[in-house]
């Protein structure tokens, strides 16, 4: 049996310090997929011990974004569970107790160095080109003495007593054994002077208490992974399987995504934040498909996956540790594919909010009629509104530079337009097929090409450059509106051209 077939317990452990971005969404997705695939549990744990960096509303936004992507969880701050609380701010006492245990076992010590002294140590280390680690002054303070100083109210932190020699080996599922020379490690802080545990201790304790089997997380945690291993070892706990995911690179593939790049992307109609995806017209299905393939593949050719496909096909063994570029044209590509997959009724439902926010109260029956004719033509959902705006306006807006049949005078355009108008007045069968036959017949008689003739009819009924297919649009618009618009166009030419 491979590791991923046994039921896993995995956690997504965001810090509520900002918006959920692609990288975190990917971590959550992989957690979710492996939990669902193996019949295990997916846990949401909010890591909010860094009280200064908390952003109000961030936790709720993360929850909403994960739901939008189609994920749910078995345990979490909002759903409870056997290992509650799932918000680390509710577990301060637990971390204190485990910190004390480490002290008693001789694996941690109290440090009384002031921030000023620490800054000086750092500065000196930097000058002598050494890693800016703590110089371990307080490591030799006898515990009795330290306790007295604490009782007297002296500010202090708790530090891990990292072994001074030897190596620590972290076994990463994707990268194999990574050996760290203990000399290169710091005596990291476990609990700060305000009594709050830092991520390292809190996460290790919670991963143990919550029986986490696999820690799937961003590779930014690789450098401190030996500390996490050492904490587990100090307590004699079994370590979870460590899975450090690939780094996400900026679209050019050169370097990690920076804040500046993120800003530039938003100018191009893209975003790295999940909260923006709906507004930009992306389907959650497409975002999930796209994100899933940033560092995982099923084989070398399958690229279309629904969430259900992913649950069936996902495996940790196929994760790829090499950095992955964030390719937004791929997102467009997946959005197109997933839009095509939606039924007309479903697409109508997904489109409705975009019309509403454009101030167009398009009912679902109308949107359901439009769905099949725009399905193949839009990349993002919001594009539908512009493309079909003329269905919802009283009149089409004309401009003198576009209304005339290309290469034709106003007289010639009017003559052709009148022929169309008169013929369509007599038209009884208003199906797209009959309209197609009738209008093309007139075009041939007039000796015009489609760009000229159909271009004019398109402009006359819509006033738009880009529309869904002409005859389908005419059928949906209806006879009365089409005749009225042809008449309007002729009047406009008479008055303006
Ligand atoms: N709170 C950490 C973060 O947001 C979690 C890292 C982990 O999954 O262990 O990056």
């Amino acid at each position: 049996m491979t590791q991923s077939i046994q039921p896993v317990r995995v956690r997504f452990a965001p810090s509520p310090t900002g918006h959920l971005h692609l990288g975190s969404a990917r971590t959550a997705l992989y957690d979710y997929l492996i939990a669902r695939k193996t019949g295990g549990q997916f846990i949401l744990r909010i890591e909010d011990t860094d009280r200064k960096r908390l952003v109000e509303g961030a936790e709720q936004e993360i929850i909403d974004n994960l739901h939008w992507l189609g994920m749910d969880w078995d345990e979490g701050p909002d759903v409870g569970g056997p290992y509650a609380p799932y918000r680390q701010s509710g577990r301060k006492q637990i971390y204190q107790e485990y910190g004390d245990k480490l002290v008693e076992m001789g694996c941690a010590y109290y440090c009384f160095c002031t921030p000023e002294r620490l800054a000086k140590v750092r500065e000196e280390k930097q000058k002598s080109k050494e890693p800016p680690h703590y110089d371990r002054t307080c490591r030799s303070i006898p515990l009795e003495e330290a306790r007295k100083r604490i009782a007297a109210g002296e500010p202090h932190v708790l530090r891990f007593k990292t072994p001074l020699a030897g190596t620590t080996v972290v076994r990463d599922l994707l990268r194999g054994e990574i050996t760290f020379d203990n000399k290169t490690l710091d005596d990291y802080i476990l609990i700060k002077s305000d009594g709050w545990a830092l991520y390292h201790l809190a996460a290790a304790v919670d991963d143990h208490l919550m029986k986490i089997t696999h820690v799937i997380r961003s590779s930014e945690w690789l450098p401190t992974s030996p500390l996490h291993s050492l904490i587990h070892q100090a307590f004699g706990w079994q370590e979870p399987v460590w899975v450090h995911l690939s780094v996400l690179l900026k679209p050019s593939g050169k370097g990690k995504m920076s804040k500046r790049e993120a800003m530039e992307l938003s100018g191009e109609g893209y975003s790295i934040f999940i909260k923006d995806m709906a507004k930009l017209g992306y389907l959650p299905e497409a975002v999930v498909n796209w994100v899933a393939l940033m560092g995982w593949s099923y084989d070398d050719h399958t690229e279309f996956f629904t969430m259900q496909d992913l649950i069936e096909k996902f495996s940790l063994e196929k994760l790829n540790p090499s950095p992955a570029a964030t390719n937004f044209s791929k997102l467009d590509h997946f959005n197109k594919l997933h839009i095509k997959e939606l039924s007309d009724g479903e697409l109508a439902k997904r489109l409705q909010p975009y019309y509403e926010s454009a101030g167009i109260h398009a009912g679902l029956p109308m949107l359901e009629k439009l769905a099949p004719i725009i399905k193949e033509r839009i990349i993002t959902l919001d594009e539908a509104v512009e493309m079909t705006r003329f269905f919802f306006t009283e009149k089409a807006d004309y401009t003198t530079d576009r209304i005339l049949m290309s290469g034709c005078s106003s007289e010639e355009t009017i003559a052709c337009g009148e022929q169309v108008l008169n013929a369509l007045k007599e038209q009884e069968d208003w199906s797209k097929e009959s309209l197609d036959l009738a209008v093309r017949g007139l075009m041939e008689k007039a000796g015009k090409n489609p760009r000229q003739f159909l271009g004019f009819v398109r402009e006359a009924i819509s006033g738009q450059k880009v529309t869904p297919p002409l005859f389908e649009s005419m059928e949906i618009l209806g006879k009365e509106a089409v005749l009225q618009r042809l008449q309007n166009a002729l009047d406009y030419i008479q008055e303006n051209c």
Side-chain angles (χ1 to χ4, degrees):
M1 229 193 239
T2 64
Q3 240 144 3
S4 56
I5 291 174
Q6 290 162 354
V8 298
R9 277 182 63 82
V10 285
R11 85 299 189 277
F12 175 52
S15 300
T17 54
H19 304 302
L20 186 75
H21 54 68
L22 293 173
S24 316
R26 182 186 62 168
T27 304
L29 179 65
Y30 291 163
D31 278 319
Y32 172 79
L33 294 176
I34 198 65
R36 292 293 169 264
K37 164 147 190 172
T38 62
Q41 284 90 38
F42 175 40
I43 295 141
L44 176 66
R45 186 172 75 214
I46 300 294
E47 302 208 325
D48 57 351
T49 59
D50 191 346
R51 309 303 290 166
K52 283 198 210 93
R53 291 182 58 223
L54 287 190
V55 171
E56 207 178 289
E59 177 183 322
Q60 192 54 47
E61 191 180 295
I62 291 168
I63 289 178
D64 293 345
N65 288 173
L66 293 175
H67 282 318
W68 182 79
L69 287 167
M71 291 180 239
D72 56 2
W73 37 97
D74 308 290
E75 298 166 32
D78 53 340
V79 294
Y83 302 96
Y86 291 92
R87 219 175 262 120
Q88 288 188 328
S89 53
R91 305 172 65 83
K92 194 174 180 186
Q93 200 55 40
I94 300 175
Y95 309 134
Q96 287 280 359
E97 280 165 28
Y98 280 89
D100 291 346
K101 279 190 198 166
L102 284 176
V103 173
E104 272 150 36
M105 294 187 301
C107 299
Y109 63 95
Y110 299 105
C111 169
F112 301 91
C113 292
T114 61
E116 294 75 31
R117 174 164 196 279
L118 293 175
K120 236 170 121 192
V121 170
R122 216 173 300 125
E123 210 179 292
E124 275 161 23
K125 296 253 172 184
Q126 264 156 0
K127 257 192 227 152
S128 57
K129 304 245 181 303
E130 285 174 72
H133 291 163
Y134 175 53
D135 65 358
R136 301 187 157 118
T137 301
C138 295
R139 188 162 165 145
S140 51
I141 298 176
L143 188 52
E144 279 302 289
E145 184 191 324
R147 288 204 162 122
K148 274 191 206 138
R149 288 170 72 171
I150 292 170
E154 195 171 335
H156 60 279
V157 300
L158 187 70
R159 286 186 184 271
F160 191 72
K161 224 184 236 183
T162 302
L164 300 175
T167 57
T168 300
V169 177
V170 175
R171 287 173 186 82
D172 180 273
L173 188 72
L174 313 183
R175 296 154 207 266
E177 290 192 352
I178 311 171
T179 304
F180 293 84
D181 187 343
N182 290 337
K183 275 201 268 249
T184 64
L185 305 177
D186 204 351
D187 279 0
Y188 302 97
I189 296 178
L190 302 174
I191 299 182
K192 290 183 295 173
S193 56
D194 60 7
W196 283 102
L198 277 181
Y199 158 72
H200 310 293
L201 178 65
V205 167
D206 287 347
D207 287 341
H208 170 69
L209 294 179
M210 295 179 181
K211 300 196 165 45
I212 300 302
T213 59
H214 294 67
V215 166
I216 303 174
R217 63 185 179 190
S218 120
S219 52
E220 79 183 271
W221 298 109
L222 258 180
T224 41
S225 60
L227 170 64
H228 307 144
S229 278
L230 286 167
I231 295 175
H232 281 273
Q233 287 168 23
F235 284 113
W237 297 336
Q238 185 180 351
E239 288 182 51
V241 176
W242 304 107
V243 186
H244 292 94
L245 299 173
S246 61
V247 174
L248 290 187
L249 300 175
K250 55 191 173 194
S252 64
K254 292 189 191 109
K256 272 168 76 170
M257 184 88 70
S258 71
K259 277 223 172 86
R260 216 192 63 212
E261 255 90 39
M263 293 282 291
E264 275 172 20
L265 278 170
S266 83
E268 294 164 27
Y270 293 120
S271 173
I272 58 161
F273 298 117
I274 302 302
K275 71 169 175 83
D276 296 330
M277 295 296 176
K279 228 182 359 213
L280 294 172
Y282 293 104
L283 292 175
E285 291 91 332
V287 178
V288 161
N289 195 157
W290 179 51
V291 160
L293 294 175
M294 290 182 197
W296 173 82
S297 58
Y298 177 60
D299 52 27
D300 59 5
H301 60 277
T302 316
E303 59 163 13
F304 182 88
F305 295 93
T306 62
M307 189 70 104
Q308 201 46 48
D309 298 334
L310 289 169
I311 291 172
E312 280 160 28
K313 304 208 157 88
F314 185 75
S315 69
L316 294 175
E317 288 71 19
K318 289 227 164 157
L319 288 173
N320 186 341
S322 334
T326 316
N327 181 346
F328 284 89
S329 26
K330 271 268 164 200
L331 172 60
D332 286 339
H333 169 72
F334 284 122
N335 213 47
K336 245 180 130 156
L337 293 184
H338 282 271
I339 286 175
K340 272 194 237 167
E341 285 297 306
L342 296 178
S343 67
D344 295 343
E346 188 57 33
L347 178 55
K349 264 196 249 155
R350 307 283 188 107
L351 287 172
Q352 202 173 34
Y354 298 89
Y355 285 86
E356 286 297 323
S357 55
I360 300 172
H361 305 298
L364 281 179
M366 178 59 174
L367 292 180
E368 222 168 298
K369 277 193 212 163
L370 293 178
I373 68 169
I374 54 174
K375 209 179 248 185
E376 309 267 342
R377 290 176 174 74
I378 51 172
I379 295 173
T380 51
L381 294 174
D382 56 321
E383 285 175 4
V385 178
E386 283 318 307
M387 192 177 282
T388 61
R389 194 174 276 278
F390 67 98
F391 285 97
F392 304 95
T393 49
E394 267 293 298
K395 287 185 177 161
D397 265 338
Y398 306 122
T399 54
T400 47
D401 59 328
R402 289 219 319 255
I403 192 68
L404 293 186
M405 206 172 272
S406 81
C408 301
S409 65
S410 52
E411 289 74 25
E412 215 178 338
T413 307
I414 290 176
C416 290
E418 276 174 349
Q419 279 165 26
V420 178
L421 181 61
N422 292 333
L424 292 186
K425 271 186 192 156
E426 304 306 317
Q427 180 78 14
E428 299 215 327
D429 179 355
W430 201 257
S431 67
K432 56 180 187 291
E433 293 81 9
S434 315
L435 289 166
D436 190 330
L437 223 62
V439 176
R440 280 185 202 276
L442 295 167
M443 175 177 85
E444 264 156 46
K445 249 204 235 152
K448 302 290 175 205
N449 64 36
R451 197 171 63 87
Q452 296 175 302
F453 204 84
L454 304 185
F456 165 73
V457 179
R458 178 189 308 277
E459 186 66 32
I461 67 154
S462 72
Q464 291 184 191
K465 249 187 183 160
V466 182
T467 68
L470 180 60
F471 302 112
E472 278 87 341
S473 298
M474 289 169 71
E475 181 187 290
I476 295 172
L477 209 50
K479 184 168 179 175
E480 203 184 318
V482 169
L483 296 181
Q484 185 60 59
R485 286 178 186 211
L486 281 166
Q487 185 62 58
N488 294 348
L490 296 175
D491 295 346
Y492 178 86
I493 298 171
Q494 222 120 38
E495 282 165 34
N496 300 285
C497 300

